[in-house]
Amino acid sequence: AHYNNWNYFQECYQSIKSQTIQDYEIIIVDDCSTDGSFYQLLELTKLDSKLKLFQNPENKKVGYTKKKCVEEAQGKICCFVDPDDFLAPNALSEIAEAYNDNPNIIATYSRIELIDTQSKSKGLFNKTKKIENKKSNFFNINFEIAHLFSFKKEAYEKTSKINETLTSAVDQDLYLKLYELGNFYFINKVQYYYRIHDKGVSQNQSQKEKLNKNWHQVIL
């Protein structure tokens, strides 16, 4: 789900291209970027057949945009990589191995390393951990489930799907909807590098009231 993120996206894109497994597609939905990055992405599609680019008819925010990403995906397994973050080289191969070894699971998640605007480490996100499946009182309050989160598209289709009205907490909403349907598998490795910067959707302090409102809506 892309919006005005060309500079960070280049590192994100290279981390996907460098994966040790190459059986994947890249779905990008641009939310009407205003910095010219859509046209740069358009040029990139001419060089990379794995990349499929779409654009919203108007700025629709992250919920609508991520839902569109899943709708356009052809793969059996989906995962979101925000354009300002990037992946560890073995991330996709480790996910594929987890599904092959555990055919009863519908989702995986892993550990996160936090990075700054220069991609330097700020340490591990220490709240992510293995959770117990099928707990009626589990609400992911402490963000035990986080990136890199993958899920079977056939399981997603059985949910009420991504809430396109949400402008934050979209991933948390999706985790809980899928948690009700089947087993999650924790990959106890760093697969995802999460960038800390003031323009991030979940980090924007000027939107704190709206962030809290969306989070409360998800929990409810």
Side-chain angles (χ1 to χ4, degrees):
H2 181 271
Y3 179 72
N4 290 357
N5 251 314
W6 174 252
N7 289 336
Y8 286 140
F9 169 76
Q10 294 178 73
E11 187 171 14
C12 172
Y13 175 67
Q14 288 305 317
S15 78
I16 300 172
K17 295 293 290 180
S18 301
Q19 289 297 300
T20 55
I21 186 174
Q22 288 290 304
D23 184 16
Y24 63 79
E25 61 179 357
I26 305 172
I27 305 295
I28 300 179
V29 179
D30 181 78
D31 196 20
C32 295
S33 292
T34 59
D35 63 350
S37 57
F38 174 75
Y39 301 101
Q40 291 170 299
L41 290 169
L42 196 60
E43 289 299 310
L44 195 59
T45 63
K46 299 176 182 178
L47 305 174
D48 188 351
S49 61
K50 290 181 181 294
L51 201 158
K52 300 173 184 178
L53 178 64
F54 304 87
Q55 188 177 48
N56 291 332
E58 59 185 8
N59 184 262
K60 303 288 282 187
K61 306 303 181 184
V62 67
Y64 180 98
T65 306
K66 285 195 168 185
K67 186 176 183 180
K68 175 73 172 175
C69 285
V70 182
E71 289 173 352
E72 297 294 346
Q74 299 298 309
K76 295 180 179 179
I77 306 297
C78 301
C79 56
F80 288 110
V81 186
D82 291 334
D84 47 355
D85 304 330
F86 61 90
L87 301 181
N90 294 324
L92 297 187
S93 61
E94 290 166 353
I95 288 172
E97 183 179 350
Y99 284 105
N100 287 334
D101 293 347
N102 304 275
N104 65 319
I105 64 173
I106 65 166
T108 71
Y109 62 106
S110 68
R111 291 200 177 277
I112 300 173
E113 186 166 333
L114 306 176
I115 56 172
D116 64 15
T117 56
Q118 303 301 313
S119 302
K120 294 180 180 179
S121 177
K122 294 176 68 69
L124 291 177
F125 179 73
N126 59 16
K127 294 183 179 180
T128 305
K129 65 179 182 180
K130 183 177 180 179
I131 53 97
E132 187 176 346
N133 287 302
K134 299 177 180 177
K135 295 284 288 184
S136 61
N137 62 346
F138 177 74
F139 292 100
N140 206 38
I141 297 296
N142 296 311
F143 304 102
E144 296 93 331
I145 301 169
H147 303 303
L148 178 64
F149 183 81
S150 76
F151 56 94
K152 289 183 176 178
K153 191 174 181 183
E154 64 178 6
Y156 172 82
E157 297 291 350
K158 296 176 182 177
T159 71
S160 59
K161 304 180 181 178
I162 289 173
N163 183 345
E164 62 184 54
T165 68
L166 290 175
T167 56
S168 61
V170 176
D171 295 323
Q172 299 301 321
D173 181 57
L174 179 61
Y175 303 161
L176 294 179
K177 286 173 176 174
L178 285 165
Y179 180 83
E180 295 178 342
L181 293 183
N183 292 331
F184 286 16
Y185 183 84
F186 177 48
I187 299 174
N188 194 8
K189 297 179 181 179
V190 172
Q191 293 187 329
Y192 198 92
Y193 294 87
Y194 182 87
R195 195 178 305 275
I196 304 297
H197 63 104
D198 58 8
K199 293 184 179 180
V201 171
S202 61
Q203 305 166 54
N204 191 327
Q205 291 303 306
S206 67
Q207 299 292 319
K208 192 170 183 179
E209 183 177 347
K210 185 179 291 185
L211 291 170
N212 288 336
K213 183 179 180 181
N214 282 338
W215 175 235
H216 293 160
Q217 181 182 341
V218 165
I219 296 299
L220 181 61

